[in-house]
Amino acid sequence: MRLPFELNRKLNGSYEMPFGQFATVTKAKRIDYSYENGKGHFGVVYDFSMEGAQASTYQLEIAFQEEKK
């Protein structure tokens, strides 16, 4: 799945399945990003549609940290 995000802008993406690819559109309503001391957070609230049909509004949250070697 490719979900591009840019605040208040509709962007084309795709969702690939074994039997084909579907066109998607995202429009970010809010984007949050922070990174400090090797730890970070990314959050986005976005409208999502697939093949021209509005699906819903979603919230995605990702927390990450650098790997210690």
Side-chain angles (χ1 to χ4, degrees):
M1 180 177 272
R2 296 184 183 276
L3 296 175
F5 299 112
E6 189 173 322
L7 195 58
N8 297 317
R9 186 167 171 220
K10 288 184 178 182
L11 297 175
N12 297 321
S14 62
Y15 183 59
E16 294 184 36
M17 301 285 287
F19 50 84
Q21 182 174 331
F22 297 94
T24 64
V25 175
T26 57
K27 182 178 180 185
K29 295 175 160 186
R30 186 182 84 222
I31 298 175
D32 300 309
Y33 174 81
S34 63
Y35 181 78
E36 187 175 327
N37 298 323
K39 295 182 180 182
H41 170 267
F42 171 78
V44 61
V45 175
Y46 63 99
D47 291 333
F48 178 77
S49 62
M50 184 181 291
E51 292 294 319
Q54 178 67 30
S56 192
T57 298
Y58 293 92
Q59 180 173 341
L60 174 66
E61 302 283 333
I62 299 173
F64 57 92
Q65 67 182 38
E66 288 185 34
E67 181 179 5
K68 305 284 184 189
K69 291 189 176 188

